[in-house]
Amino acid sequence: MKLKLAIALALAAMSAQAAEPWMDKSLSADKRAELALQAMTQQEKLRWVLGHFGSDFANKTKKHPAALPFSAGYIEGVPRLGLPALFETDAGLGVATQATKTPRERTSLPSGLATTATWNRELAYQGGAMIGAEARASGFNVMLAGGVNLLREPRNGRNFEYAGEDPLLAGTMVAQQVKGIQSNNIIATMKHYAVNDQETGRFVVDARLDDASNRMSDLLAFQFLMEQADPGSVMCSYNRLNGVYACENDYLLNQVLKKDWGYKGYVMTDWGATHSTVESANAGLDQQSGWEFDKSQYFGGALEEAVTNGHVSQARFDNMVFRVLRAMFDKGVVDNPVAEGGAIDYTAHNLVSRADAEEGMVLLKNAGNVLPLKAGAKKIVIIGAHADVGVLAGGGSSLVYPIGGNAVPGIAPTSWPGPVVYHPSSPMKAIQARAPGAQVVFNDGSDPGAAAQAAAGADVVLVFAQQWVGEALDAVSLALPDNQDALIGAVAKANPKTVVVLETSGPVLMPWVDQAAGILQAWYPGTSGGEAIARVLFGEVNPSGHLPATFPASESQLPRPKLDGDPKNEAVRFTVNYHEGAAVGYKWFDLKGLKPLFPFGHGLSYTQFAYSGLTANQKDGKLSVSFKITNTGAVKGKDVPQLYVSPLNAKWEAPKRLAGWDKVELAPGESKQVSVTVDPRLLGMFDSRSKTWRIAKGGYKVLLAHDAADAKAASITVQLPQRTLNVAGK
Ligand code: GLC
């Protein structure tokens, strides 16, 4: 009987296999996609290239009935063939919800800049794995994360979603997050491809950047990410690049991404970034997202007609569908169907977010070792930024609504890209818990005079300063808003033991930098941000964050002192000329001999680290660097030794480039030997005509530094042979 049953089951399985050969897991993703495509009708193919919004949109259209409520998007599947629909959620900080009164509440990571400021690849991976797990448990199989636009513009309203100014650091760190997300058998993206580096006029701006400079900066961050994490999808951006919309840009989509880099996934648009049927399909676009934001369903009936009439070949159309299907098989979406209501261990997830937040905090200044806070403090005064009840989050599509609701509801703007949200993780409560014997006083900071009075006589004063920004807008300036500079100045004058805790999207100016004894950059610290801040302030965690972006001393130092475009008139097309080329951030400061307020890579610790024994050698042009790092202080801590390379004669876009780093934890007195291999593309210049990286023969200085302005950096010179490498650096 058993034998008969076994045979019957085997036959059933075989016949099912025969009926749906694409479900055979032993086959490659390519083969499975090919088989599934062959089984589809034209109408079924069309489903994969048209994305629907997952929310009601400005009473223009109703969300797709099958989309998850208040979600980013939905793509119909083909149930007949066992191929699931795609349920899309934002974004890189966790499971976001489109603005609504009934949001799904989930765990929020700290900002992307905070994760990058950890320089810790494992933490970035764990954060991605955590938010990807919450996406899957919430019924989503596509997570619109992977934001990696370079921080060219320190006022960009979305810097908090991204990973700073250096392509190696940004590409590497976001790649780890994308790998973490995709470890949940869901598709992640990389976005916004490409050179979408400011929010002002994002729908109409024409970004001007030459090919070689782009390949060595913005595109290099995407290339590193793609190579290291293989995101299932790429989201093309709203802006034009060199006169052509990114989502119908043959250079970006067909030439660079698919041909030069060999990308095998699919290209989806941003929501409202599709402008044509034939041009965009033939330029390499594969899927229109959120068609309700566009003028029409370019990839609906219009595409069917274009294929019927040969304006878009059947082969191109089939390839569009193939790429979506291949990503679904490759990332495990077909074999692991999602469902809502999966279990989420919020306690464990809060700890993941907290670990990321506290390791991403950057101790910018610590005069007189005002930090860590001393036990036995009698009076601690806390001022500003609603630090009595919560910590700030950024606005827009990446906003993760907090479990427990907004700690400070009702702050304008209350509509998109608002609401302004504070995660209900109170720094004050966390501080009180760590200073049981102290009198802890809160002042809201609305009146600098009153705040200064409250501050006088305290053992220590903690002024929390905030800067809310969000998608679709840029900070009007790098100055802290709402008179906070005057507040900080008044308080620091009243009490020299003043520590400023910053909750900002990115770089800000600090006219009070000499008056404040301590400065801690906490970014947007996420779900457990209050706890994380207190743990760092009290030394339970030794700060080890390092700046992923240069903090300018003034806006006059920037390549564009004044932001281009007019936020009051976003309909008029304008150009941003990225004349700095690949000299982004610290490279620009080096090139122009400018002294920033705080340099890229800067970050203090409660202990000290020394570097020694720097050696560098090259074999067939492959540069390897080795050195020893020692904790010379009295407490355990982590450090980020940074390697920069600077050509003695060759002409680069700037004097030096970040070529590698490590994150090392050491006990007092402990040493560790570190070795780093340098990606050869970081040693050469990209040549557009030949599409090769060219390393000039000659001497190169290798610097081992604490930050990009480390005047005492150890250095060694190494001779490199001339080399010509292909686009992939081989
Ligand atoms: C937004 C954003 C993009 C997001 C998408 C869906 O406008 O630019 O990052 O993933 O639309 O919400």
CSV table of all heavy atoms in Angstrom, one decimal, residues 53 72 90 98 144 158 161 191-192 202 235 238 270-271 397 416 471, ligand 1:
chain,number,residue,atom,x,y,z
A,53,PHE,N,-0.7,52.0,-7.4
A,53,PHE,CA,-0.5,52.6,-6.1
A,53,PHE,C,-1.3,51.8,-5.1
A,53,PHE,O,-2.3,51.3,-5.4
A,53,PHE,CB,-0.9,54.1,-6.1
A,53,PHE,CG,-0.4,54.8,-4.9
A,53,PHE,CD1,0.8,54.6,-4.4
A,53,PHE,CD2,-1.3,55.7,-4.3
A,53,PHE,CE1,1.3,55.4,-3.3
A,53,PHE,CE2,-0.9,56.5,-3.2
A,53,PHE,CZ,0.4,56.3,-2.7
A,72,ALA,N,2.8,51.1,-0.7
A,72,ALA,CA,3.3,51.8,-1.8
A,72,ALA,C,2.9,51.3,-3.2
A,72,ALA,O,2.6,52.1,-4.1
A,72,ALA,CB,4.9,51.7,-1.8
A,90,ASP,N,7.6,50.8,1.2
A,90,ASP,CA,8.8,51.5,1.5
A,90,ASP,C,9.3,51.1,2.8
A,90,ASP,O,8.6,50.4,3.6
A,90,ASP,CB,8.4,53.0,1.5
A,90,ASP,CG,8.3,53.6,0.1
A,90,ASP,OD1,9.2,53.4,-0.7
A,90,ASP,OD2,7.2,54.1,-0.1
A,98,GLN,N,1.9,54.8,3.9
A,98,GLN,CA,1.4,56.0,3.2
A,98,GLN,C,0.6,56.8,4.3
A,98,GLN,O,-0.2,56.2,5.0
A,98,GLN,CB,0.6,55.8,2.0
A,98,GLN,CG,1.4,55.0,0.9
A,98,GLN,CD,2.5,55.8,0.3
A,98,GLN,OE1,2.5,57.1,0.3
A,98,GLN,NE2,3.6,55.2,-0.1
A,144,LEU,N,11.2,48.8,-1.0
A,144,LEU,CA,11.7,49.9,-1.8
A,144,LEU,C,12.8,50.6,-1.0
A,144,LEU,O,12.7,51.8,-0.7
A,144,LEU,CB,10.6,50.8,-2.3
A,144,LEU,CG,9.4,50.1,-3.0
A,144,LEU,CD1,8.2,51.0,-3.1
A,144,LEU,CD2,9.9,49.6,-4.3
A,158,ARG,N,16.4,64.5,1.7
A,158,ARG,CA,16.4,63.1,1.9
A,158,ARG,C,17.7,62.5,2.3
A,158,ARG,O,17.9,61.3,2.3
A,158,ARG,CB,15.9,62.4,0.6
A,158,ARG,CG,14.5,62.8,0.2
A,158,ARG,CD,13.9,62.0,-0.9
A,158,ARG,NE,13.4,60.7,-0.5
A,158,ARG,CZ,12.8,59.9,-1.3
A,158,ARG,NH1,12.5,60.2,-2.6
A,158,ARG,NH2,12.3,58.7,-0.9
A,161,GLU,N,17.9,59.5,4.4
A,161,GLU,CA,17.5,58.2,3.8
A,161,GLU,C,18.8,57.6,3.1
A,161,GLU,O,18.7,56.4,2.8
A,161,GLU,CB,16.4,58.3,2.7
A,161,GLU,CG,15.1,58.7,3.3
A,161,GLU,CD,14.1,58.7,2.1
A,161,GLU,OE1,13.9,57.6,1.5
A,161,GLU,OE2,13.4,59.7,1.9
A,191,LYS,N,18.1,52.8,-5.2
A,191,LYS,CA,17.4,54.0,-5.7
A,191,LYS,C,18.2,55.2,-5.2
A,191,LYS,O,19.0,55.1,-4.3
A,191,LYS,CB,16.0,54.0,-5.2
A,191,LYS,CG,15.8,54.2,-3.7
A,191,LYS,CD,14.3,54.1,-3.3
A,191,LYS,CE,14.0,54.5,-1.9
A,191,LYS,NZ,12.6,54.4,-1.5
A,192,HIS,N,17.9,56.4,-5.8
A,192,HIS,CA,17.0,56.7,-7.0
A,192,HIS,C,18.0,56.9,-8.1
A,192,HIS,O,18.8,57.9,-8.1
A,192,HIS,CB,16.2,57.9,-6.7
A,192,HIS,CG,15.4,57.8,-5.4
A,192,HIS,ND1,15.8,58.1,-4.2
A,192,HIS,CD2,14.1,57.4,-5.3
A,192,HIS,CE1,14.9,57.9,-3.3
A,192,HIS,NE2,13.8,57.4,-3.9
A,202,ARG,N,12.4,68.3,-8.0
A,202,ARG,CA,12.9,66.9,-8.3
A,202,ARG,C,12.2,66.4,-9.6
A,202,ARG,O,12.8,65.5,-10.3
A,202,ARG,CB,12.7,66.0,-7.1
A,202,ARG,CG,11.3,65.8,-6.7
A,202,ARG,CD,11.2,64.8,-5.6
A,202,ARG,NE,9.8,64.5,-5.1
A,202,ARG,CZ,9.4,63.5,-4.4
A,202,ARG,NH1,10.3,62.6,-4.1
A,202,ARG,NH2,8.2,63.3,-4.1
A,235,MET,N,15.3,51.4,-9.0
A,235,MET,CA,14.3,52.4,-9.2
A,235,MET,C,14.9,53.6,-9.9
A,235,MET,O,15.8,54.3,-9.3
A,235,MET,CB,13.7,52.8,-7.8
A,235,MET,CG,12.5,53.8,-8.0
A,235,MET,SD,11.9,54.5,-6.5
A,235,MET,CE,11.3,53.1,-5.6
A,238,TYR,N,13.2,60.6,-10.6
A,238,TYR,CA,12.4,61.7,-11.2
A,238,TYR,C,13.1,62.6,-12.2
A,238,TYR,O,12.6,63.0,-13.2
A,238,TYR,CB,11.8,62.5,-10.1
A,238,TYR,CG,10.8,61.9,-9.3
A,238,TYR,CD1,10.9,61.8,-7.9
A,238,TYR,CD2,9.6,61.3,-9.9
A,238,TYR,CE1,10.0,61.2,-7.1
A,238,TYR,CE2,8.6,60.7,-9.1
A,238,TYR,CZ,8.8,60.7,-7.7
A,238,TYR,OH,7.9,60.1,-6.9
A,270,ASP,N,10.2,55.5,-10.3
A,270,ASP,CA,9.7,56.1,-9.1
A,270,ASP,C,8.2,56.4,-9.4
A,270,ASP,O,7.8,56.4,-10.6
A,270,ASP,CB,10.5,57.3,-8.7
A,270,ASP,CG,10.3,57.7,-7.3
A,270,ASP,OD1,9.3,57.3,-6.7
A,270,ASP,OD2,11.2,58.4,-6.7
A,271,TRP,N,7.5,56.8,-8.4
A,271,TRP,CA,6.1,57.0,-8.5
A,271,TRP,C,5.8,58.3,-9.2
A,271,TRP,O,5.9,59.4,-8.5
A,271,TRP,CB,5.4,56.9,-7.2
A,271,TRP,CG,5.1,55.4,-6.8
A,271,TRP,CD1,3.8,55.0,-6.4
A,271,TRP,CD2,5.9,54.3,-6.7
A,271,TRP,NE1,3.9,53.7,-6.1
A,271,TRP,CE2,5.1,53.2,-6.3
A,271,TRP,CE3,7.3,54.1,-6.9
A,271,TRP,CZ2,5.7,51.9,-6.1
A,271,TRP,CZ3,7.8,52.8,-6.7
A,271,TRP,CH2,7.0,51.7,-6.3
A,397,SER,N,8.0,59.4,2.2
A,397,SER,CA,7.6,58.0,2.0
A,397,SER,C,8.4,57.0,2.8
A,397,SER,O,7.9,55.8,3.0
A,397,SER,CB,7.8,57.6,0.5
A,397,SER,OG,9.2,57.8,0.2
A,416,TRP,N,1.3,65.3,4.0
A,416,TRP,CA,2.5,64.8,3.4
A,416,TRP,C,3.4,66.0,2.9
A,416,TRP,O,2.9,67.0,2.4
A,416,TRP,CB,2.2,64.0,2.1
A,416,TRP,CG,3.2,63.0,1.8
A,416,TRP,CD1,3.4,61.7,2.2
A,416,TRP,CD2,4.3,63.2,0.8
A,416,TRP,NE1,4.5,61.2,1.7
A,416,TRP,CE2,5.1,62.1,0.8
A,416,TRP,CE3,4.6,64.3,0.0
A,416,TRP,CZ2,6.2,62.0,0.0
A,416,TRP,CZ3,5.8,64.2,-0.8
A,416,TRP,CH2,6.5,63.0,-0.8
A,471,GLU,N,11.1,64.2,2.4
A,471,GLU,CA,11.1,64.1,1.0
A,471,GLU,C,10.4,65.3,0.4
A,471,GLU,O,9.5,65.9,1.0
A,471,GLU,CB,10.3,62.8,0.7
A,471,GLU,CG,10.2,62.5,-0.8
A,471,GLU,CD,9.5,61.2,-1.0
A,471,GLU,OE1,9.4,60.4,-0.1
A,471,GLU,OE2,9.0,61.0,-2.1
B,1,GLC,C1,8.3,58.3,-3.6
B,1,GLC,C2,9.8,58.2,-3.5
B,1,GLC,C3,10.3,56.7,-3.5
B,1,GLC,C4,9.3,55.8,-3.0
B,1,GLC,C5,8.0,55.9,-3.9
B,1,GLC,C6,6.9,55.0,-3.3
B,1,GLC,O1,7.9,59.4,-4.2
B,1,GLC,O2,10.6,59.0,-4.3
B,1,GLC,O3,11.5,56.7,-2.8
B,1,GLC,O4,9.8,54.5,-2.9
B,1,GLC,O5,7.6,57.2,-4.1
B,1,GLC,O6,6.4,55.5,-2.2
